[in-house]
C-alpha cells in the first residue's frame, strides 16, 4: 500500500501542475506519515541528498558556463562553426548543431545551450529565410548533446544516484562518442530537411578564415580540454575541476574577450545562484523519494518483474528504453535520473549491463524527453526564442527526433560506443 501512496500521490500532484520538487517532497511526506515514521526522516533525507562533496561541482560548472555565455564565447564559437560547415546545404542549421556541441563542452547544460546558442542562431536563421520551426527544432535537438559530453552536470547526478561509486571521469569519457554520434545524426537530418525545403548552401571561406576564427575561439574551446583533461588524467577531481573551470572562465571573459563587466558579473552570479537553488532542491527532494523506494524494496521488485517478462537482455533494455521515453514526457531530467537509477540500475546489472553504459543510455533517454511535451523544458526555451508554439514545432520535429532515437538504439545495443573510450584511457 505504501508504494501505491508514494507513486499515486506523486503522479496526481504532477498532473495538477505542482513543481516537481514539491511533488517529490510531499509524496514522500505522505508516505512516511502513512507508515507512522517521524516526518523529520523526509527532511533528513532531503538534506542528505544535497550534502555530497561531488555535488559542489554542479554550481561551479553552472557559474562557469554562465560567465562564458555573458563573456561572448557563443558569438566566437558560432563564427568558428560557420567557417567549418557554413558552406553545406542548409548551412546555418549545420552551424547550429556544431556550435551547440562546442558550447555544450563549456556549459554542460541543454537549457543553457538552447538559450545562448538559440538566442543568436534562431533570429539569424529566420532573417535569412529559414522557417522558424526548422530553426527551433535544430536548436532544441542539438542542445541535448551537452548532456552527453563533459562537463555534463547530469553525469555527476547519475554517479551520486548510483551510490557515488561510479567514476565521473569514466562517465564523462563514455558520453563523448555517443555525443559525437548524435551531432552527426542531427547534421544529417538537418541536411535532408534543408534539401527538401530548398534552403541554400553557403560559400566556403577558405582555410585561412578557419584558422583565424579558431584562434579567436581557442581560449573558450580550451576550457573543454582543461575540464576533461584534468579529470581524466587524475590531476584533480570533478569538484576541483569545476573550481578551476570557473576561475579560467572568469579570466577569459574579463581579460581575453573583455565582454564581462560588473553588471554582467552580477547577472551571471544571480543566474547561477537561482539555477543552483532550483537544481539542488529537486535533487534533495528526489533523494528522499529515492530513499523511500529503497526502503520499500522497489528495485528488487523491479528486477523480479522484468525477469518475469523476459530473460533476454535485449528485450529488457528495449522495455526500459520505452519506459524512460514515456517518463521523459512529463518528468524533468534531474528527478528522473535520481528516481530511475535505483530502480533500473539493479535490473540492468542483473542482466550483465555495465553501469557506465547504462548511465549513457539513461542520460540520452532523459535528454530526448526534454524535447517532448508536456514537460519539454529545452523545447519550451527554443520555442520561446523562435516565437512559435509548441504545436508548430512538434509537427515537424520528427526527422530530428528520429535521428536522436536512432542514436539511442545504437548506443543501447552496441556497448562499445560507450565503453571503448573509457577502456582506452584506463
Amino acid at each position: 500500500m505504501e508504494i501505491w501512496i508514494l507513486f499515486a500521490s506523486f503522479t496526481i500532484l504532477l498532473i495538477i501542475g505542482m513543481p516537481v520538487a514539491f511533488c517529490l517532497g510531499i509524496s514522500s511526506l505522505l508516505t512516511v506519515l502513512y507508515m507512522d515514521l517521524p516526518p523529520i526522516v523526509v527532511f533528513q533525507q532531503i538534506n542528505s541528498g544535497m550534502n555530497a562533496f561531488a555535488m559542489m561541482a554542479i554550481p561551479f560548472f553552472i557559474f562557469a558556463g554562465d560567465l562564458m555565455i555573458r563573456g561572448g564565447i557563443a558569438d566566437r564559437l558560432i563564427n568558428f562553426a560557420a567557417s567549418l560547415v557554413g558552406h553545406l546545404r542548409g548551412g546555418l542549421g549545420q552551424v547550429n548543431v556544431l556550435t551547440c556541441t562546442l558550447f555544450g563542452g563549456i556549459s554542460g547544460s541543454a537549457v543553457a545551450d538552447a538559450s545562448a546558442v538559440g538566442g543568436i542562431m534562431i533570429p539569424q536563421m529566420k532573417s535569412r529565410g529559414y522557417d522558424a520551426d526548422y530553426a527551433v527544432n535544430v536548436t532544441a535537438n542539438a542542445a541535448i548533446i551537452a548532456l552527453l559530453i563533459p562537463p555534463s552536470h547530469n553525469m555527476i547526478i547519475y554517479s551520486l544516484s548510483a551510490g557515488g561509486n561510479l567514476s565521473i571521469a569514466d562517465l564523462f569519457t563514455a558520453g563523448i562518442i555517443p555525443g559525437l554520434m548524435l551531432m552527426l545524426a542531427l547534421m544529417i537530418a538537418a541536411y535532408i530537411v534543408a534539401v527538401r525545403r530548398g534552403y541554400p548552401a553557403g560559400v566556403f571561406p577558405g582555410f585561412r578564415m578557419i584558422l583565424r576564427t579558431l584562434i579567436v575561439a581557442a581560449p573558450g574551446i580550451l576550457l573543454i580540454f582543461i575540464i576533461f583533461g584534468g579529470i581524466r588524467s587524475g590531476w584533480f577531481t570533478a569538484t576541483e575541476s569545476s573550481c578551476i573551470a570557473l576561475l579560467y572562465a572568469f579570466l577569459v571573459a574579463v581579460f581575453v574577450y573583455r565582454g564581462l563587466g560588473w553588471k554582467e558579473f552580477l547577472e551571471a552570479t544571480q543566474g547561477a545562484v537561482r539555477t543552483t537553488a532550483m537544481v539542488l532542491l529537486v535533487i534533495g527532494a528526489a533523494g528522499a523519494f529515492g530513499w523511500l523506494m529503497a526502503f520499500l524494496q522497489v528495485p528488487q521488485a523491479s528486477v523480479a518483474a522484468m525477469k518475469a517478462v523476459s530473460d533476454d537482455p535485449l528485450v529488457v533494455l528495449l522495455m526500459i528504453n520505452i519506459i524512460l521515453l514515456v517518463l521523459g514526457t512529463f518528468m524533468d531530467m534531474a528527478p528522473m535520473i535520481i528516481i530511475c537509477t535505483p530502480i533500473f540500475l539493479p535490473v540492468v546489472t542483473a542482466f550483465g549491463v555495465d553501469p557506465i553504459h547504462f548511465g549513457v543510455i539513461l542520460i540520452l533517454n532523459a535528454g530526448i524527453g526534454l524535447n517532448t511535451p508536456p514537460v519539454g523544458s529545452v523545447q519550451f526555451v527554443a520555442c520561446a526564442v523562435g516565437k512559435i508554439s509548441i504545436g508548430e514545432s512538434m509537427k515537424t520535429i520528427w526527422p530530428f527526433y528520429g535521428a536522436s532515437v536512432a542514436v539511442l538504439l545504437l548506443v543501447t545495443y552496441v556497448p562499445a560506443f560507450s565503453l571503448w573510450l573509457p577502456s582506452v584511457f584506463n
Side-chain angles (χ1 to χ4, degrees):
M1 184 63 184
E2 293 88 349
I3 295 175
W4 283 105
I5 293 174
L6 181 66
F7 285 100
S9 58
F10 171 75
T11 304
I12 292 170
L13 293 171
L14 199 63
I15 290 173
I16 65 176
M18 184 171 287
V20 174
F22 292 103
C23 295
L24 293 166
I26 292 173
S27 60
S28 301
L29 183 61
L30 291 174
T31 307
V32 163
L33 291 173
Y34 178 82
M35 295 166 63
D36 202 24
L37 294 174
I40 196 173
V41 169
V42 174
F43 299 98
Q44 288 174 337
Q45 292 303 321
I46 290 175
N47 179 67
S48 176
M50 295 185 287
N51 190 20
F53 179 73
M55 196 74 74
M56 290 178 62
I58 295 176
F60 286 120
F61 278 135
I62 290 172
F63 196 11
D66 213 336
L67 288 176
M68 292 298 270
I69 291 171
R70 299 176 193 277
I73 182 59
D75 295 307
R76 292 162 174 85
L77 291 178
I78 287 171
N79 291 336
F80 174 55
S83 69
L84 283 177
V85 297
H87 61 284
L88 301 175
R89 179 62 70 91
L92 289 185
Q94 311 295 336
V95 170
N96 200 328
V97 176
L98 182 56
T99 303
C100 282
T101 305
L102 294 171
F103 192 79
I106 295 171
S107 70
S109 166
V111 173
D113 254 28
S115 176
V117 178
I120 299 171
M121 288 300 304
I122 292 176
Q124 271 194 45
M125 294 175 74
K126 290 170 67 177
S127 68
R128 296 191 188 183
Y130 290 79
D131 295 314
D133 63 318
Y134 177 82
V136 165
N137 286 328
V138 169
T139 303
N141 285 274
I144 68 174
I145 298 171
L147 306 173
L148 295 170
I149 58 180
S152 169
H153 315 149
N154 296 284
M155 291 290 190
I156 300 173
I157 295 173
Y158 171 73
S159 174
L160 295 172
S161 302
N165 299 319
L166 297 181
S167 166
I168 294 175
D170 282 348
L171 286 167
F172 278 180
T173 310
I176 291 175
I177 291 179
L180 295 177
M181 290 169 59
L182 182 57
M183 178 192 76
L184 181 60
L186 291 173
M187 291 180 77
I188 292 171
Y191 178 84
I192 292 172
V193 175
V195 170
R196 288 180 178 174
R197 297 192 181 189
Y199 295 146
V203 178
F204 182 62
F207 292 104
R208 181 174 296 179
M209 180 58 71
I210 292 176
L211 180 61
R212 184 180 303 168
T213 55
L214 173 60
I215 292 172
V216 174
I221 296 174
L222 185 60
L223 180 59
I224 302 172
F225 297 97
I226 291 174
I227 294 170
F228 177 71
I231 296 175
R232 187 68 269 183
S233 64
W235 290 345
F236 34 76
T237 65
T239 304
E240 293 164 346
S241 169
S242 67
C243 297
I244 293 170
L246 175 58
L247 178 61
Y248 178 83
F250 176 80
L251 294 175
V252 169
V254 173
F255 298 107
V256 179
Y257 292 152
R258 298 182 181 180
L260 189 72
W262 180 245
K263 178 184 176 183
E264 290 79 15
F265 177 76
L266 289 179
E267 289 174 349
T269 304
Q270 291 170 356
V273 169
R274 187 164 50 247
T275 302
T276 300
M278 291 188 295
V279 170
L280 290 183
L281 180 60
V282 170
I283 290 173
F289 195 93
W291 174 82
L292 270 172
M293 288 195 300
F295 186 82
L296 297 173
Q297 298 186 330
V298 174
Q300 295 88 328
S302 301
V303 173
M306 289 288 184
K307 285 186 174 181
V309 175
S310 175
D311 285 327
D312 188 342
L314 301 181
V315 175
V316 171
L317 284 172
L318 179 61
M319 288 191 295
I320 290 175
N321 272 327
I322 293 172
I323 293 170
L324 292 175
L325 287 173
V326 172
L327 289 175
T329 63
F330 62 87
M331 190 179 294
D332 211 352
M333 190 159 191
M336 181 174 168
I337 294 171
I338 296 171
I339 291 171
C340 292
T341 298
I343 295 177
F344 293 120
L345 186 57
V347 175
V348 296
T349 52
F351 285 90
V353 177
D354 189 285
I356 299 292
H357 176 210
F358 178 69
V360 178
I361 296 172
L362 175 58
I363 297 295
L364 184 50
N365 263 297
I368 294 172
L370 295 179
N371 280 319
T372 51
V375 189
S377 55
V378 173
Q379 192 72 20
F380 290 161
V381 170
C383 286
V385 174
K387 298 179 180 177
I388 64 172
S389 68
I390 295 291
E392 289 177 84
S393 69
M394 292 305 296
K395 289 178 183 177
T396 55
I397 198 174
W398 304 110
F400 305 100
Y401 196 85
S404 300
V405 172
V407 172
L408 172 63
L409 293 175
L410 285 172
V411 169
T412 299
Y413 292 117
V414 186
F417 287 135
S418 303
L419 300 179
W420 175 74
L421 200 56
S423 70
V424 170
F425 280 97
N426 289 333

